[in-house]
Amino acid sequence: MKQKKILYLALLLLGFCFLLAAWFLPTSDSMGGMLTGMGSGLLALGISRLLLLRQQAKHPEQYRQNEIAANDERNVAIRRRAQAISGEVLQWGILAAAWFSIGLDAPLWVTLLATGLFLAKSLLELYLMIRYEREM
């Protein structure tokens, strides 16, 4: 618990340093935007995780009950099914974006990137199906 707290404090401090660097160092607009985005993200992550650790320390029985519910067989099956369906929707959305980019006369690399992502997801899905069939 203490190691996690130190890690989240370090993330919080690093995010704050990125924000300060973005505001006070003479950088380009894109570099300043990148530092601001990373700093804000790390700062928010550190704060939220520290608050979560504090909540866990105050109410350990509620935390244990939530862990049991999260690892329940039914909840795991529901979560996996939702992830599978969302992956399918995302896959076909990427393919639709590729077709849309053709219609908008976008650069060829945009269409090829979207098609490559579709193909990579399909191949990963095939590989995982074969792997899981062998394991089960």
Side-chain angles (χ1 to χ4, degrees):
M1 183 75 105
K2 185 163 175 103
Q3 289 176 337
K4 286 184 180 182
K5 189 173 184 178
I6 292 172
L7 172 69
Y8 298 141
L9 282 172
L11 287 177
L12 191 135
L13 183 63
L14 184 63
F16 190 69
C17 289
F18 279 166
L19 282 174
L20 288 177
W23 289 333
F24 295 117
L25 291 180
T27 59
S28 64
D29 285 343
S30 60
M31 180 61 95
M34 185 177 70
L35 286 172
T36 302
M38 288 183 351
S40 299
L42 289 174
L43 193 68
L45 178 68
I47 290 172
S48 67
R49 292 298 177 156
L50 284 172
L51 289 174
L52 184 65
L53 284 177
R54 183 174 178 226
Q55 188 69 18
Q56 288 174 2
K58 281 186 172 183
H59 306 287
E61 66 285 341
Q62 182 67 34
Y63 172 70
R64 274 187 244 109
Q65 189 176 16
N66 289 342
E67 282 293 313
I68 291 170
N71 295 325
D72 181 43
E73 192 174 311
R74 181 177 176 270
N75 289 337
V76 170
I78 290 170
R79 195 175 319 113
R80 287 184 180 162
R81 186 172 180 187
Q83 288 172 346
I85 291 172
S86 67
E88 283 291 317
V89 169
L90 183 61
Q91 176 182 359
W92 291 106
I94 287 175
L95 191 60
W99 280 99
F100 193 63
S101 70
I102 291 170
L104 290 177
D105 214 16
L108 182 62
W109 69 268
V110 174
T111 306
L112 291 177
L113 178 68
T115 307
L117 287 172
F118 176 84
L119 183 63
K121 196 268 182 191
S122 299
L123 291 175
L124 179 63
E125 185 177 337
L126 180 65
Y127 167 75
L128 290 174
M129 280 186 348
I130 293 170
R131 179 178 164 198
Y132 292 149
E133 277 182 1
R134 289 182 184 163
E135 288 178 5
M136 294 180 174

